[in-house]
Amino acid sequence: MGGHRPRRRHRRDPTLTPTHQRQRPRAVPRKTKASERRIVLPAASIQDLHTHRARQQAEQQAAGLRWSPCGYIYTAPSAALPIEPSTLNRRFATLLNQAGLRRIRFHDLRHTTATLLLDQGVELVVIKELLGHAHIGVTATVYTRVRLCIQRNAIDLLGNVPCNLGTGSDRRRNGDDLPRSGS
């Protein structure tokens, strides 16, 4: 991706040789066919995308022949080129800092989303589809700790069930009598 490559040793020269070739971000093939899919977005996100498209079309008109479409939704502000990963990471870190949140990797947003959805009771198969995992086993393995926590909370809820459920006199007073078999 973008940025400098790490220093490497040349086979014949024991000293470190820096490589200063910057590469533009480029599209890479998706891992699987399942990676290319339609996703559902909240209405607010769809509205934001429409607003962004209108702004981008205005930028395109202002640039005239200098505009070179790259097919990306979000591009570098100075040109219609993909955003450098290092720029995205720096901007994301700034936003986290401004919001008073701890620093995480941009990719961790996937895990955060899955964890929040699991915590809200969304089925694992739905989360698997949203994340684009080919097999539910991948999703189940990655989020086992979260699922165990949710299970523990569910069991703790059983401790809140009143102990006098099931006594005959209470059921009759509440009108919860079940009909007898054969009646």
Side-chain angles (χ1 to χ4, degrees):
M1 289 286 204
H4 297 289
R5 290 186 192 171
R7 293 174 173 240
R8 60 183 174 161
R9 281 192 189 277
H10 191 276
R11 277 187 256 185
R12 293 188 191 127
D13 185 359
T15 62
L16 292 174
T17 308
T19 306
H20 293 287
Q21 293 180 333
R22 287 187 60 108
Q23 294 180 343
R24 285 188 176 169
R26 58 186 168 77
V28 293
R30 289 162 186 79
K31 287 197 284 187
T32 66
K33 276 193 167 192
S35 297
E36 194 167 317
R37 64 198 180 280
R38 292 178 184 254
I39 58 170
V40 179
L41 295 174
S45 296
I46 292 170
Q47 183 57 47
D48 289 342
L49 285 169
H50 286 299
T51 302
H52 177 70
R53 183 190 305 169
R55 186 174 46 245
Q56 209 170 38
Q57 287 171 340
E59 289 171 4
Q60 180 179 359
Q61 285 179 339
L65 296 174
R66 293 184 319 250
W67 184 270
S68 77
C70 66
Y72 291 96
I73 295 171
Y74 289 96
T75 59
S78 59
L81 297 170
I83 297 173
E84 290 276 348
S86 59
T87 303
L88 175 69
N89 290 330
R90 260 193 324 275
R91 180 69 181 128
F92 182 60
T94 301
L95 290 172
L96 289 172
N97 189 37
Q98 289 171 350
L101 300 172
R102 70 180 174 88
R103 191 171 182 158
I104 61 171
R105 297 173 306 151
F106 189 78
H107 180 80
D108 292 336
L109 292 174
R110 285 175 53 87
H111 301 301
T112 302
T113 300
T115 301
L116 291 172
L117 291 172
L118 272 171
D119 196 42
Q120 295 297 312
V122 175
E123 292 183 33
L124 203 57
V125 68
V126 173
I127 295 168
K128 166 207 158 301
E129 292 166 356
L130 287 171
L131 296 179
H133 290 159
H135 305 287
I136 198 164
V138 172
T139 314
T141 301
V142 171
Y143 299 103
T144 298
R145 184 178 304 141
V146 178
R147 289 182 22 246
L148 290 173
C149 182
I150 292 169
Q151 289 174 5
R152 193 173 305 116
N153 291 341
I155 293 300
D156 288 346
L157 288 175
L158 287 176
N160 298 331
V161 175
C163 295
N164 62 355
L165 286 180
T167 60
S169 59
D170 290 342
R171 276 195 328 218
R172 276 187 227 106
R173 266 185 275 148
N174 292 333
D176 290 338
D177 277 332
L178 295 174
R180 293 184 183 167
S181 60
S183 331

